[in-house]
Structure formats: structure tokens, C-alpha cells
Amino acid sequence: MFKYFSNPELKRSSAIILILAFITLSCSFFVINKGYEQMRISYIESNTAIVGELVKNHPQLKDEIIPLVTKGANEKSIEQGKKILDEYGYNESLNIEFIPAMKKSYTTVLNWILILIICFSTVAFVGNCIQYKIIYKRLEKLIIGAQNILEYNFDIGIYENAEGTFAKLAHAFNNMRIIMKNNLGAVQKEKQFLVDTLSDISHQLKTPIASLIIYNDILLERKLDEEKRKEFLKSSGNQLNRIEWLVKSLLKLAKLDAGVIKFEKEVYDINKTVEEAVETLAVKAENESINLVFKNRNSKIIMKHDPNWLSECFINIIKNALEHTDNGGSVTVFTERTPVCVRVIVQDSGEGISKEDIPNIFKRFYKGKRSKNTESVGIGLALSKSIVEGHEGMIEVKSKEKEGTTFTITFLNSI
């Protein structure tokens, strides 16, 4: 029971009741004491009147009467007096109204006690009403807050400055409001994400599908020699490969953004992961007469990661570097470990990136204004960024036009 005394309402009402009870008892004591004082005076006056009359009529009895009044009567005298007065109906069953000395004091005390009880009840009733009014107003706030939530208005909270159950209830209500707001926001974000993804896929597939339709019409409606027919079939194959790659990449990116993919991290040498990515693109670099070099500054760099996904990340970044480097240029890949982090650096001697394009290169489907690669759809770097961030890493780029570009991927060492 005492645990509820942390509530200010219970403290306040208990304090009010105790104060009222103390005031009522004090006033009652004062009234009773005052009534007793009046009864004492009335008693003295009554005895004084009796003594006066007796002495007046029988002066010889003065010495016998005075000791009875001042020292009190003995049992024998009391019994004799009872017998005499009983003949006149003056006994213990006599109504107080027929005792003038007592009637006034009794009536006064009774009236004052009645007034005190009425005052106590009135103040307690009013205080109780005020207390419950405060409680109901707080409950009304919770009702309004619940109605706001039903109307999807999550910005109005319930705040309590005092301690106690209401403060705990308000805190729990606000937590529920924030959770519901975040959940609703997440659902809306997922819906928008789905709409955007479908829109992106639709937009990116339009061009290759349109090309396939044209190639198919040409192959069906025109008479072509074998060489031309093979050329159109090869172009159709390229477009189909492009669609396949595009759909796979978009689905991977969508899964990464939605948090569906769980990286299968293992303790593995990051040098081997990077080396696999470099070897994958070695033929492409050779065909384009670009010098692709991998330099590991540490023989082994053991790091917990998903080799397959990070390899794909590095492939996209290195491929981007190759596509923006002219024949005869170079692309160099470094790995290094410091006491704080692990870095993978991809450096090329290519055309560089303009200052206005740098903030946007990791956005999906973004292509630089001066990009010469017509086949690029601007998804590789966005996918790489998502993979790096999924490994709690960071990716940054530094570049100057005609001076090359450097991508730096950083992973903090785990403690």
C-alpha cells in the first residue's frame, strides 16, 4: 500500500485529511473545554444560590452547609438527598432541559460540534471533488492523446512534471506513441521504397526491351543475309544479358536497402577477397590496354566479412575505374591495416570526376553530365555503397578532372 504514496494525488489528499482531522479535533477540544468551563461556572453559581438561600433562611446552619459545598458530601448525605429529591422527580433520569445549569452549556457544545462536523464534511467533500477533477483532467489528456493516435496525429504527446503513476503512464503512453509513429513511418517508407524500386526497374528496362522489339521485328519482316542476321542476334543477346544483369543488380540493391540480406561474415583475409575481384577484371583491363595492379602492404589482413559480397563491391568500384580510364592508363588497388582500421584503396589515372558530380555518384541511376559510357546505368556504385555500409564501413571519393580518382573504403577494427 505504501508504494502508492509516491503519487502526489494520494499525498495531497492524505495531507488534507490529516490537516482537517487535526483542526477538527483541536476545535472540538476547545469547544468541549469551553463547555466544561461554562458548566463549572453554572455549577458554582447553582451551589452559591442554594447556600445563599439556606443561610438566609437558616443562619444557624452556615457552619454545616459550607463544608458540604467546599469539601464535598459523604455517601450518607447523598443517599438522604436522593430520597428527598426523588419525591419531586429530581433524579438521574431527569431530562437535561429541566436542569438550567446544564442546559445552556450542553446546547452550546452540541451546536459547535455539529458546526465542526459540517465544516469538516464540506471541506473534505470540496477537496475530494477538486482532487478527482485534477485526476479526470489528466485522464482526459490521455483520451485526447489516444484520439490523436487514431487520427494518425503522432506529434502531440502527454507530459507530466510530477512523479507517480500518472507520470509513469504518460511516459509509457509517449513511448507507445513514438513506437507507433516509427512503425507507421517504416511501413510508409517500405511502400514508397517498393513503388520507387518498381518504377526504377520499369524505367531501366524500357530501353533494352524496346531494342529487342525492334531487332525481333527486323528479323521477322526483312530478308537479311546470314552475317546481318547474326549481328542482330548478337545485339539481342547483349540486350538480354544487360536486362539479366540489371534485374539481378536491382534486386540485390532492393534486398540490401530493405535489410532482407544477412551477410555471412567469416574471418577471412581481405587481401584474397580483393585479389579475386582484381583477377575477375584482369581480362577486361588487358583488352582495354589498362595496367591493373594490386599491391598489398600487409601479407595478411584478417578481417571478419562476407567475401562474396565484398568481392562484388570491389568489382563494381574497379570496373567503374576501368571504364573511366583511357587506354594506356593505370588502375592500382591497395590494401593496408592501421592500428585503427583496414583500408582498401582504388586509384585510377582516368578522366576524373567533376566537382558538381562527386556528391551524387553514389545515388542510384545517376550518370555524370560528362559521362562517355552510354552502357552504364549508374547502379554499381550505389550497390557498392550499400554493401560497405552493411559491413559497418565507409566509402569516400577524391577526384580532380583529368587527374584521376581515388576511392577509399574504410573498415574500423573491431574491439
Short mmCIF file of all heavy atoms in Angstrom, two decimals, residues 115-172:
data_model
loop_
_atom_site.label_atom_id
_atom_site.label_comp_id
_atom_site.label_asym_id
_atom_site.label_seq_id
_atom_site.Cartn_x
_atom_site.Cartn_y
_atom_site.Cartn_z
N ILE A 115 -21.47 22.11 14.07
CA ILE A 115 -20.89 23.04 13.09
C ILE A 115 -19.54 22.52 12.59
O ILE A 115 -19.23 22.56 11.39
CB ILE A 115 -20.74 24.45 13.71
CG1 ILE A 115 -22.12 25.08 13.91
CG2 ILE A 115 -19.88 25.36 12.82
CD1 ILE A 115 -22.11 26.34 14.74
N LEU A 116 -18.72 21.99 13.51
CA LEU A 116 -17.40 21.46 13.13
C LEU A 116 -17.53 20.27 12.19
O LEU A 116 -16.78 20.14 11.22
CB LEU A 116 -16.62 21.07 14.39
CG LEU A 116 -16.07 22.22 15.23
CD1 LEU A 116 -15.48 21.68 16.53
CD2 LEU A 116 -15.01 23.00 14.46
N ILE A 117 -18.48 19.37 12.50
CA ILE A 117 -18.68 18.20 11.63
C ILE A 117 -19.11 18.63 10.24
O ILE A 117 -18.64 18.10 9.22
CB ILE A 117 -19.72 17.25 12.26
CG1 ILE A 117 -19.14 16.61 13.52
CG2 ILE A 117 -20.14 16.16 11.27
CD1 ILE A 117 -20.14 15.81 14.33
N ILE A 118 -20.04 19.62 10.18
CA ILE A 118 -20.50 20.12 8.87
C ILE A 118 -19.34 20.75 8.10
O ILE A 118 -19.17 20.52 6.89
CB ILE A 118 -21.65 21.14 9.07
CG1 ILE A 118 -22.89 20.41 9.60
CG2 ILE A 118 -21.98 21.84 7.76
CD1 ILE A 118 -24.01 21.34 10.04
N CYS A 119 -18.53 21.56 8.80
CA CYS A 119 -17.37 22.21 8.14
C CYS A 119 -16.38 21.17 7.64
O CYS A 119 -15.88 21.26 6.51
CB CYS A 119 -16.69 23.17 9.11
SG CYS A 119 -17.66 24.63 9.49
N PHE A 120 -16.08 20.18 8.49
CA PHE A 120 -15.14 19.12 8.10
C PHE A 120 -15.65 18.37 6.86
O PHE A 120 -14.91 18.14 5.91
CB PHE A 120 -14.94 18.15 9.27
CG PHE A 120 -14.10 16.96 8.93
CD1 PHE A 120 -12.71 17.05 8.97
CD2 PHE A 120 -14.67 15.76 8.55
CE1 PHE A 120 -11.92 15.96 8.65
CE2 PHE A 120 -13.90 14.66 8.23
CZ PHE A 120 -12.52 14.76 8.28
N SER A 121 -16.93 17.99 6.89
CA SER A 121 -17.53 17.25 5.76
C SER A 121 -17.53 18.08 4.49
O SER A 121 -17.23 17.58 3.40
CB SER A 121 -18.96 16.83 6.11
OG SER A 121 -18.98 16.03 7.27
N THR A 122 -17.84 19.39 4.62
CA THR A 122 -17.89 20.27 3.45
C THR A 122 -16.51 20.42 2.82
O THR A 122 -16.34 20.28 1.60
CB THR A 122 -18.44 21.65 3.84
OG1 THR A 122 -19.72 21.49 4.44
CG2 THR A 122 -18.55 22.55 2.61
N VAL A 123 -15.52 20.71 3.68
CA VAL A 123 -14.15 20.90 3.16
C VAL A 123 -13.63 19.60 2.55
O VAL A 123 -13.00 19.60 1.48
CB VAL A 123 -13.21 21.40 4.28
CG1 VAL A 123 -11.77 21.45 3.78
CG2 VAL A 123 -13.64 22.76 4.76
N ALA A 124 -13.90 18.46 3.23
CA ALA A 124 -13.46 17.16 2.69
C ALA A 124 -14.14 16.87 1.36
O ALA A 124 -13.50 16.38 0.41
CB ALA A 124 -13.76 16.05 3.69
N PHE A 125 -15.42 17.18 1.25
CA PHE A 125 -16.16 16.95 0.01
C PHE A 125 -15.61 17.82 -1.13
O PHE A 125 -15.36 17.33 -2.24
CB PHE A 125 -17.65 17.24 0.23
CG PHE A 125 -18.49 17.12 -1.00
CD1 PHE A 125 -18.85 15.87 -1.49
CD2 PHE A 125 -18.89 18.24 -1.71
CE1 PHE A 125 -19.61 15.74 -2.65
CE2 PHE A 125 -19.65 18.13 -2.86
CZ PHE A 125 -20.02 16.89 -3.33
N VAL A 126 -15.41 19.11 -0.83
CA VAL A 126 -14.89 20.03 -1.86
C VAL A 126 -13.47 19.63 -2.27
O VAL A 126 -13.13 19.59 -3.46
CB VAL A 126 -14.91 21.49 -1.34
CG1 VAL A 126 -14.21 22.42 -2.33
CG2 VAL A 126 -16.35 21.94 -1.12
N GLY A 127 -12.65 19.31 -1.26
CA GLY A 127 -11.27 18.88 -1.57
C GLY A 127 -11.25 17.61 -2.39
O GLY A 127 -10.45 17.47 -3.33
N ASN A 128 -12.12 16.66 -2.07
CA ASN A 128 -12.22 15.42 -2.83
C ASN A 128 -12.65 15.68 -4.27
O ASN A 128 -12.10 15.09 -5.21
CB ASN A 128 -13.22 14.49 -2.14
CG ASN A 128 -13.23 13.10 -2.75
OD1 ASN A 128 -12.21 12.42 -2.78
ND2 ASN A 128 -14.37 12.68 -3.24
N CYS A 129 -13.63 16.60 -4.44
CA CYS A 129 -14.09 16.94 -5.80
C CYS A 129 -12.96 17.58 -6.61
O CYS A 129 -12.76 17.26 -7.80
CB CYS A 129 -15.27 17.90 -5.72
SG CYS A 129 -16.79 17.11 -5.12
N ILE A 130 -12.21 18.49 -5.97
CA ILE A 130 -11.10 19.15 -6.67
C ILE A 130 -10.03 18.13 -7.06
O ILE A 130 -9.50 18.15 -8.17
CB ILE A 130 -10.49 20.26 -5.78
CG1 ILE A 130 -11.49 21.40 -5.60
CG2 ILE A 130 -9.19 20.79 -6.38
CD1 ILE A 130 -11.08 22.43 -4.58
N GLN A 131 -9.74 17.21 -6.11
CA GLN A 131 -8.73 16.19 -6.37
C GLN A 131 -9.12 15.31 -7.56
O GLN A 131 -8.33 15.04 -8.45
CB GLN A 131 -8.54 15.34 -5.11
CG GLN A 131 -7.44 14.32 -5.20
CD GLN A 131 -6.06 14.96 -5.16
OE1 GLN A 131 -5.92 16.14 -4.92
NE2 GLN A 131 -5.04 14.17 -5.43
N TYR A 132 -10.37 14.85 -7.57
CA TYR A 132 -10.83 14.00 -8.67
C TYR A 132 -10.96 14.78 -9.97
O TYR A 132 -10.78 14.21 -11.05
CB TYR A 132 -12.16 13.33 -8.31
CG TYR A 132 -11.97 12.06 -7.52
CD1 TYR A 132 -12.02 12.06 -6.14
CD2 TYR A 132 -11.69 10.87 -8.17
CE1 TYR A 132 -11.82 10.90 -5.41
CE2 TYR A 132 -11.49 9.69 -7.45
CZ TYR A 132 -11.56 9.72 -6.07
OH TYR A 132 -11.35 8.55 -5.38
N LYS A 133 -11.25 16.07 -9.86
CA LYS A 133 -11.29 16.91 -11.07
C LYS A 133 -9.92 16.95 -11.73
O LYS A 133 -9.79 16.83 -12.96
CB LYS A 133 -11.75 18.32 -10.70
CG LYS A 133 -11.91 19.24 -11.91
CD LYS A 133 -12.36 20.62 -11.47
CE LYS A 133 -12.47 21.55 -12.69
NZ LYS A 133 -12.88 22.91 -12.30
N ILE A 134 -8.87 17.08 -10.90
CA ILE A 134 -7.49 17.07 -11.42
C ILE A 134 -7.18 15.72 -12.08
O ILE A 134 -6.60 15.64 -13.16
CB ILE A 134 -6.49 17.37 -10.28
CG1 ILE A 134 -6.68 18.80 -9.77
CG2 ILE A 134 -5.05 17.17 -10.76
CD1 ILE A 134 -5.91 19.10 -8.49
N ILE A 135 -7.60 14.63 -11.39
CA ILE A 135 -7.35 13.29 -11.93
C ILE A 135 -8.07 13.09 -13.26
O ILE A 135 -7.50 12.59 -14.24
CB ILE A 135 -7.78 12.21 -10.92
CG1 ILE A 135 -6.84 12.24 -9.70
CG2 ILE A 135 -7.78 10.82 -11.54
CD1 ILE A 135 -7.27 11.35 -8.56
N TYR A 136 -9.34 13.51 -13.31
CA TYR A 136 -10.12 13.33 -14.54
C TYR A 136 -9.59 14.18 -15.69
O TYR A 136 -9.66 13.78 -16.86
CB TYR A 136 -11.60 13.64 -14.29
CG TYR A 136 -12.28 12.60 -13.43
CD1 TYR A 136 -13.18 12.96 -12.43
CD2 TYR A 136 -12.01 11.25 -13.61
CE1 TYR A 136 -13.80 12.00 -11.64
CE2 TYR A 136 -12.63 10.29 -12.83
CZ TYR A 136 -13.52 10.67 -11.83
OH TYR A 136 -14.12 9.72 -11.06
N LYS A 137 -9.06 15.36 -15.36
CA LYS A 137 -8.46 16.20 -16.41
C LYS A 137 -7.24 15.50 -17.01
O LYS A 137 -7.01 15.56 -18.23
CB LYS A 137 -8.07 17.56 -15.84
CG LYS A 137 -9.23 18.53 -15.75
CD LYS A 137 -8.74 19.92 -15.39
CE LYS A 137 -9.90 20.92 -15.44
NZ LYS A 137 -9.46 22.29 -15.11
N ARG A 138 -6.47 14.85 -16.15
CA ARG A 138 -5.31 14.11 -16.66
C ARG A 138 -5.75 12.93 -17.53
O ARG A 138 -5.13 12.64 -18.56
CB ARG A 138 -4.46 13.60 -15.49
CG ARG A 138 -3.73 14.72 -14.75
CD ARG A 138 -2.89 14.14 -13.64
NE ARG A 138 -2.05 15.17 -13.03
CZ ARG A 138 -1.18 14.92 -12.06
NH1 ARG A 138 -1.03 13.69 -11.61
NH2 ARG A 138 -0.45 15.89 -11.55
N LEU A 139 -6.82 12.26 -17.10
CA LEU A 139 -7.35 11.16 -17.90
C LEU A 139 -7.88 11.66 -19.24
O LEU A 139 -7.75 10.98 -20.27
CB LEU A 139 -8.45 10.43 -17.13
CG LEU A 139 -7.99 9.62 -15.91
CD1 LEU A 139 -9.19 9.09 -15.15
CD2 LEU A 139 -7.07 8.48 -16.33
N GLU A 140 -8.47 12.87 -19.23
CA GLU A 140 -8.97 13.46 -20.49
C GLU A 140 -7.82 13.71 -21.46
O GLU A 140 -7.97 13.57 -22.67
CB GLU A 140 -9.73 14.75 -20.19
CG GLU A 140 -11.11 14.51 -19.60
CD GLU A 140 -11.78 15.79 -19.14
OE1 GLU A 140 -11.14 16.87 -19.28
OE2 GLU A 140 -12.91 15.73 -18.66
N LYS A 141 -6.66 14.10 -20.90
CA LYS A 141 -5.48 14.30 -21.76
C LYS A 141 -5.10 12.99 -22.44
O LYS A 141 -4.75 12.96 -23.63
CB LYS A 141 -4.29 14.80 -20.93
CG LYS A 141 -4.41 16.25 -20.49
CD LYS A 141 -3.15 16.65 -19.73
CE LYS A 141 -3.23 18.09 -19.24
NZ LYS A 141 -2.02 18.46 -18.47
N LEU A 142 -5.16 11.89 -21.69
CA LEU A 142 -4.83 10.58 -22.27
C LEU A 142 -5.85 10.20 -23.34
O LEU A 142 -5.49 9.63 -24.38
CB LEU A 142 -4.81 9.52 -21.17
CG LEU A 142 -3.64 9.59 -20.19
CD1 LEU A 142 -3.85 8.61 -19.05
CD2 LEU A 142 -2.32 9.30 -20.88
N ILE A 143 -7.13 10.52 -23.09
CA ILE A 143 -8.18 10.22 -24.08
C ILE A 143 -7.93 11.01 -25.36
O ILE A 143 -8.02 10.47 -26.47
CB ILE A 143 -9.57 10.54 -23.50
CG1 ILE A 143 -9.90 9.56 -22.35
CG2 ILE A 143 -10.64 10.45 -24.58
CD1 ILE A 143 -11.13 9.93 -21.57
N ILE A 144 -7.59 12.31 -25.19
CA ILE A 144 -7.31 13.16 -26.37
C ILE A 144 -6.08 12.63 -27.11
O ILE A 144 -6.04 12.57 -28.34
CB ILE A 144 -7.09 14.62 -25.93
CG1 ILE A 144 -8.41 15.20 -25.41
CG2 ILE A 144 -6.57 15.46 -27.09
CD1 ILE A 144 -8.26 16.55 -24.74
N GLY A 145 -5.05 12.20 -26.33
CA GLY A 145 -3.85 11.63 -26.96
C GLY A 145 -4.17 10.37 -27.74
O GLY A 145 -3.67 10.17 -28.85
N ALA A 146 -5.04 9.50 -27.18
CA ALA A 146 -5.44 8.28 -27.89
C ALA A 146 -6.22 8.61 -29.16
O ALA A 146 -6.03 7.98 -30.21
CB ALA A 146 -6.28 7.41 -26.96
N GLN A 147 -7.09 9.62 -29.08
CA GLN A 147 -7.84 10.04 -30.27
C GLN A 147 -6.91 10.58 -31.34
O GLN A 147 -7.11 10.34 -32.54
CB GLN A 147 -8.88 11.09 -29.87
CG GLN A 147 -10.04 10.52 -29.06
CD GLN A 147 -10.98 11.59 -28.56
OE1 GLN A 147 -10.65 12.78 -28.55
NE2 GLN A 147 -12.17 11.19 -28.13
N ASN A 148 -5.88 11.32 -30.93
CA ASN A 148 -4.89 11.84 -31.89
C ASN A 148 -4.17 10.70 -32.60
O ASN A 148 -3.91 10.77 -33.81
CB ASN A 148 -3.88 12.74 -31.18
CG ASN A 148 -4.47 14.09 -30.82
OD1 ASN A 148 -5.31 14.61 -31.53
ND2 ASN A 148 -4.04 14.65 -29.71
N ILE A 149 -3.84 9.65 -31.84
CA ILE A 149 -3.17 8.50 -32.44
C ILE A 149 -4.09 7.82 -33.45
O ILE A 149 -3.67 7.42 -34.54
CB ILE A 149 -2.73 7.50 -31.35
CG1 ILE A 149 -1.54 8.09 -30.58
CG2 ILE A 149 -2.33 6.15 -31.95
CD1 ILE A 149 -1.08 7.24 -29.43
N LEU A 150 -5.40 7.69 -33.09
CA LEU A 150 -6.35 7.10 -34.02
C LEU A 150 -6.49 7.91 -35.30
O LEU A 150 -6.80 7.38 -36.36
CB LEU A 150 -7.73 6.96 -33.34
CG LEU A 150 -7.81 5.92 -32.21
CD1 LEU A 150 -9.17 5.99 -31.54
CD2 LEU A 150 -7.55 4.52 -32.74
N GLU A 151 -6.23 9.24 -35.18
CA GLU A 151 -6.30 10.12 -36.35
C GLU A 151 -4.94 10.30 -37.00
O GLU A 151 -4.74 11.21 -37.81
CB GLU A 151 -6.86 11.48 -35.93
CG GLU A 151 -8.31 11.40 -35.45
CD GLU A 151 -8.79 12.70 -34.80
OE1 GLU A 151 -7.98 13.65 -34.73
OE2 GLU A 151 -9.95 12.75 -34.38
N TYR A 152 -3.95 9.44 -36.60
CA TYR A 152 -2.58 9.45 -37.16
C TYR A 152 -1.86 10.78 -36.90
O TYR A 152 -1.02 11.20 -37.68
CB TYR A 152 -2.60 9.16 -38.66
CG TYR A 152 -3.18 7.81 -38.99
CD1 TYR A 152 -4.48 7.69 -39.48
CD2 TYR A 152 -2.43 6.66 -38.79
CE1 TYR A 152 -5.02 6.44 -39.75
CE2 TYR A 152 -2.96 5.41 -39.06
CZ TYR A 152 -4.25 5.31 -39.55
OH TYR A 152 -4.78 4.07 -39.82
N ASN A 153 -2.22 11.42 -35.79
CA ASN A 153 -1.51 12.63 -35.37
C ASN A 153 -0.61 12.24 -34.20
O ASN A 153 -1.05 12.13 -33.06
CB ASN A 153 -2.51 13.71 -34.95
CG ASN A 153 -1.81 15.00 -34.56
OD1 ASN A 153 -0.58 15.13 -34.71
ND2 ASN A 153 -2.55 15.95 -34.06
N PHE A 154 0.67 12.00 -34.51
CA PHE A 154 1.60 11.50 -33.50
C PHE A 154 2.47 12.59 -32.88
O PHE A 154 3.40 12.29 -32.13
CB PHE A 154 2.52 10.43 -34.13
CG PHE A 154 1.79 9.25 -34.65
CD1 PHE A 154 1.51 9.12 -36.01
CD2 PHE A 154 1.38 8.25 -33.80
CE1 PHE A 154 0.83 8.01 -36.49
CE2 PHE A 154 0.70 7.13 -34.27
CZ PHE A 154 0.44 7.02 -35.62
N ASP A 155 2.20 13.84 -33.20
CA ASP A 155 3.08 14.93 -32.75
C ASP A 155 2.71 15.47 -31.38
O ASP A 155 3.48 16.23 -30.79
CB ASP A 155 3.07 16.07 -33.77
CG ASP A 155 3.63 15.63 -35.12
OD1 ASP A 155 4.55 14.79 -35.10
OD2 ASP A 155 3.15 16.11 -36.16
N ILE A 156 1.52 15.15 -30.88
CA ILE A 156 1.07 15.67 -29.59
C ILE A 156 1.29 14.60 -28.53
O ILE A 156 0.68 13.54 -28.57
CB ILE A 156 -0.42 16.08 -29.64
CG1 ILE A 156 -0.62 17.18 -30.69
CG2 ILE A 156 -0.87 16.58 -28.27
CD1 ILE A 156 -2.06 17.56 -30.90
N GLY A 157 2.16 14.89 -27.57
CA GLY A 157 2.47 13.93 -26.52
C GLY A 157 1.77 14.29 -25.21
O GLY A 157 1.12 15.32 -25.08
N ILE A 158 1.91 13.41 -24.23
CA ILE A 158 1.37 13.62 -22.89
C ILE A 158 2.56 13.78 -21.96
O ILE A 158 3.44 12.92 -21.90
CB ILE A 158 0.52 12.42 -22.43
CG1 ILE A 158 -0.58 12.12 -23.46
CG2 ILE A 158 -0.09 12.69 -21.06
CD1 ILE A 158 -1.59 13.21 -23.64
N TYR A 159 2.60 14.91 -21.23
CA TYR A 159 3.76 15.20 -20.39
C TYR A 159 3.32 15.46 -18.95
O TYR A 159 2.34 16.15 -18.70
CB TYR A 159 4.51 16.41 -20.94
CG TYR A 159 4.99 16.21 -22.35
CD1 TYR A 159 4.29 16.75 -23.43
CD2 TYR A 159 6.12 15.44 -22.62
CE1 TYR A 159 4.71 16.54 -24.73
CE2 TYR A 159 6.54 15.22 -23.92
CZ TYR A 159 5.83 15.78 -24.97
OH TYR A 159 6.25 15.57 -26.25
N GLU A 160 4.03 14.84 -18.02
CA GLU A 160 3.76 15.01 -16.59
C GLU A 160 5.06 15.42 -15.91
O GLU A 160 6.08 14.74 -16.04
CB GLU A 160 3.25 13.69 -15.99
CG GLU A 160 1.84 13.31 -16.41
CD GLU A 160 0.79 14.13 -15.70
OE1 GLU A 160 1.08 14.70 -14.65
OE2 GLU A 160 -0.34 14.22 -16.22
N ASN A 161 4.99 16.54 -15.17
CA ASN A 161 6.19 17.01 -14.49
C ASN A 161 6.38 16.34 -13.13
O ASN A 161 7.48 16.26 -12.62
CB ASN A 161 6.11 18.53 -14.30
CG ASN A 161 6.13 19.26 -15.64
OD1 ASN A 161 6.81 18.83 -16.56
ND2 ASN A 161 5.37 20.34 -15.75
N ALA A 162 5.25 15.89 -12.52
CA ALA A 162 5.33 15.28 -11.20
C ALA A 162 5.67 13.80 -11.32
O ALA A 162 5.60 13.21 -12.39
CB ALA A 162 4.01 15.46 -10.46
N GLU A 163 6.03 13.21 -10.16
CA GLU A 163 6.31 11.78 -10.14
C GLU A 163 5.01 11.02 -9.89
O GLU A 163 3.95 11.60 -9.69
CB GLU A 163 7.32 11.46 -9.03
CG GLU A 163 6.83 11.84 -7.64
CD GLU A 163 7.82 11.49 -6.55
OE1 GLU A 163 8.80 10.79 -6.85
OE2 GLU A 163 7.59 11.89 -5.41
N GLY A 164 5.08 9.68 -9.90
CA GLY A 164 3.92 8.88 -9.56
C GLY A 164 3.40 8.07 -10.73
O GLY A 164 3.99 8.02 -11.82
N THR A 165 2.24 7.44 -10.51
CA THR A 165 1.65 6.54 -11.50
C THR A 165 1.27 7.26 -12.78
O THR A 165 1.45 6.75 -13.89
CB THR A 165 0.41 5.84 -10.91
OG1 THR A 165 0.80 5.13 -9.72
CG2 THR A 165 -0.18 4.84 -11.88
N PHE A 166 0.74 8.49 -12.66
CA PHE A 166 0.36 9.25 -13.85
C PHE A 166 1.58 9.58 -14.70
O PHE A 166 1.51 9.55 -15.93
CB PHE A 166 -0.37 10.54 -13.46
CG PHE A 166 -1.86 10.38 -13.38
CD1 PHE A 166 -2.49 10.33 -12.16
CD2 PHE A 166 -2.63 10.25 -14.52
CE1 PHE A 166 -3.86 10.17 -12.06
CE2 PHE A 166 -4.00 10.09 -14.45
CZ PHE A 166 -4.63 10.05 -13.22
N ALA A 167 2.68 9.92 -14.05
CA ALA A 167 3.91 10.20 -14.79
C ALA A 167 4.40 8.95 -15.52
O ALA A 167 4.82 9.02 -16.68
CB ALA A 167 5.00 10.72 -13.84
N LYS A 168 4.32 7.79 -14.85
CA LYS A 168 4.72 6.53 -15.49
C LYS A 168 3.79 6.21 -16.66
O LYS A 168 4.23 5.75 -17.72
CB LYS A 168 4.68 5.39 -14.47
CG LYS A 168 5.75 5.51 -13.38
CD LYS A 168 5.59 4.40 -12.36
CE LYS A 168 6.62 4.54 -11.23
NZ LYS A 168 6.43 3.51 -10.19
N LEU A 169 2.49 6.45 -16.46
CA LEU A 169 1.50 6.20 -17.52
C LEU A 169 1.76 7.11 -18.72
O LEU A 169 1.71 6.66 -19.87
CB LEU A 169 0.09 6.42 -16.98
CG LEU A 169 -1.06 6.20 -17.96
CD1 LEU A 169 -1.06 4.76 -18.47
CD2 LEU A 169 -2.39 6.53 -17.30
N ALA A 170 2.06 8.39 -18.43
CA ALA A 170 2.35 9.33 -19.52
C ALA A 170 3.61 8.93 -20.26
O ALA A 170 3.66 8.99 -21.50
CB ALA A 170 2.50 10.75 -18.96
N HIS A 171 4.63 8.48 -19.52
CA HIS A 171 5.88 8.05 -20.15
C HIS A 171 5.64 6.82 -21.03
O HIS A 171 6.12 6.76 -22.18
CB HIS A 171 6.91 7.73 -19.06
CG HIS A 171 8.23 7.26 -19.58
ND1 HIS A 171 9.10 8.09 -20.25
CD2 HIS A 171 8.81 6.03 -19.56
CE1 HIS A 171 10.16 7.40 -20.61
NE2 HIS A 171 10.02 6.15 -20.21
N ALA A 172 4.88 5.84 -20.51
CA ALA A 172 4.57 4.65 -21.30
C ALA A 172 3.73 5.01 -22.53
O ALA A 172 3.94 4.47 -23.62
CB ALA A 172 3.81 3.64 -20.42
#
